[in-house]
Amino acid sequence: MAIVVLFSTMSFTISSHFCGNTVVDVSYFSKASSCGMEMKQDVNNKDCSITKKNCCKDVTKVIEGQDNLKKNSFDSLSQDQQLFLATFYYSYINLFEGLHNKVIPFKNYTPPLVVKDIHVLDEVYLI
């Protein structure tokens, strides 16, 4: 549900650079790089009146996300819903708590002393 809300409210820009009728570059979230064939006007030379039509163009599409979300507060919920959310939160947080110290119940006990070989007494041999 959070992913649906994220993508429905996200807005982004698709920028494309065309040289003639072919796509040179497409960029998301930033400006597309050019092909280097843009016409540059010379500011110092105003006597020249020859102009040539530029074959390159930039196309920008802006996709807007929605920004009118209904925001509910915890106080607007009924008492039963507040109780359910509080108990769910409490049980979910305590679900992942572990033991801080590793408890070993047989730490203070020593193993029994082996007086006789049990395998020989029961006549069980490994072949």
Side-chain angles (χ1 to χ4, degrees):
M1 186 67 159
I3 293 172
V4 171
V5 171
L6 175 72
F7 284 119
S8 68
T9 58
M10 187 174 74
S11 59
F12 57 94
T13 304
I14 300 172
S15 178
S16 303
H17 180 78
F18 290 92
C19 189
N21 290 331
T22 59
V23 177
V24 175
D25 188 27
V26 175
S27 177
Y28 303 100
F29 305 112
S30 65
K31 186 178 180 191
S33 61
S34 66
C35 60
M37 297 195 51
E38 290 86 18
M39 300 292 292
K40 295 192 172 46
Q41 295 179 353
D42 191 9
V43 178
N44 297 333
N45 190 4
K46 293 183 181 180
D47 297 335
C48 183
S49 64
I50 300 173
T51 59
K52 183 178 178 183
K53 186 177 178 184
N54 192 1
C55 67
C56 296
K57 65 180 177 178
D58 289 324
V59 176
T60 303
K61 292 181 184 176
V62 177
I63 298 173
E64 298 275 338
Q66 67 176 356
D67 58 348
N68 52 357
L69 295 175
K70 183 180 177 185
K71 298 175 186 171
N72 289 333
S73 66
F74 188 72
D75 297 331
S76 67
L77 299 175
S78 69
Q79 188 175 7
D80 293 334
Q81 292 172 338
Q82 288 179 1
L83 180 66
F84 173 75
L85 286 176
T87 54
F88 179 77
Y89 177 75
Y90 180 75
S91 64
Y92 186 76
I93 292 300
N94 289 334
L95 180 67
F96 296 110
E97 278 188 14
L99 296 173
H100 295 290
N101 297 328
K102 195 171 190 179
V103 178
I104 302 173
F106 50 86
K107 180 179 176 182
N108 297 326
Y109 297 107
T110 57
L113 296 174
V114 179
V115 179
K116 297 180 181 177
D117 193 6
I118 296 174
H119 295 291
V120 174
L121 289 174
D122 293 336
E123 294 183 6
V124 177
Y125 303 105
L126 295 174
I127 296 177

